[in-house]
Amino acid sequence: MDAIVLLRDDHKTVEKLFKRFEKTEDEDLAERRSIADEVIEELTVHAWIEEKVFYPAAREAAPDTTDHILESIEEHHAVVWMLSELKDMDPADERFKAKMSVLMENVRHHVEEEEKEWFPDVRKAMGRNRLAEIGEQLEAEKGRAPRDPLAVPSAASK
């Protein structure tokens, strides 16, 4: 699968989870916890594969995207930090919903920048065959990626 298609599919999966969360009522604590746990796993894996496989390949193929990639890594750091806090937070905590809202805003901003501002440049620079090759690497790395945000080096090392 094309690397950018795979990453966009991940973005869509997370957006669907966000929409489900936004539809919950304040008394739906178990549902909020369940959705948050899915979001934590999806975003942890996604950040891992992007930083380990896609960003280095994108930076090499399209050096003009370097500033965008560096900003994306910092955005990942902030997101993974929020995920690590949400991981053990009680959904009854008055800050749980607010933290999820801030997370959703950050992720939506990140996704919009990636998809509109620099994925097109990477697509042009890499071409179909290289994107398919990177997509295979991303899929393989998903199986090895941590599911716990505290295991993501960008969160632990900064």
Side-chain angles (χ1 to χ4, degrees), residues 6-154:
L6 182 144
L7 296 173
R8 282 189 167 146
D9 285 351
D10 283 358
H11 294 164
K12 289 175 191 168
T13 297
V14 170
E15 181 59 31
K16 285 178 189 169
L17 291 168
F18 289 169
K19 284 184 171 25
R20 275 182 48 211
F21 188 90
E22 289 170 332
K23 289 177 183 172
T24 62
E25 300 295 327
D26 287 341
E27 61 274 3
D28 297 335
L29 299 179
E31 177 71 0
R32 283 185 177 172
R33 175 78 266 161
S34 175
I35 294 167
D37 289 343
E38 286 183 67
V39 166
I40 290 165
E41 182 171 333
E42 289 289 337
L43 289 176
T44 299
V45 169
H46 182 79
W48 173 268
I49 67 171
E50 275 192 327
E51 289 186 31
K52 190 159 176 72
V53 178
F54 186 72
Y55 289 172
R59 195 171 177 181
E60 182 182 322
D64 290 350
T65 64
T66 295
D67 287 345
H68 289 295
I69 292 168
L70 293 173
E71 183 179 324
S72 290
I73 291 169
E74 293 307 317
E75 289 170 348
H76 280 185
H77 175 65
V79 165
V80 169
W81 177 66
M82 282 186 274
L83 296 175
S84 68
E85 289 189 340
L86 278 166
K87 182 177 174 287
D88 296 318
M89 186 179 270
D90 186 332
D93 186 308
E94 67 179 357
R95 293 175 48 230
F96 187 85
K97 182 180 174 190
K99 191 169 293 288
M100 276 294 290
S101 293
V102 171
L103 172 73
M104 290 185 286
E105 288 172 17
N106 278 283
V107 170
R108 285 171 171 153
H109 166 80
H110 173 80
V111 165
E112 183 174 348
E113 281 187 342
E114 278 188 345
E115 291 188 0
K116 291 187 176 154
E117 293 181 20
W118 62 274
F119 275 8
D121 295 335
V122 172
R123 175 171 296 292
K124 199 178 300 176
M126 281 193 186
R128 179 178 291 141
N129 291 338
R130 182 71 175 130
L131 284 168
E133 190 179 293
I134 298 296
E136 287 177 23
Q137 292 174 19
L138 290 170
E139 292 210 39
E141 197 59 41
K142 272 190 174 194
R144 295 187 284 270
R147 271 58 186 160
D148 182 340
L150 293 175
V152 175
S154 67

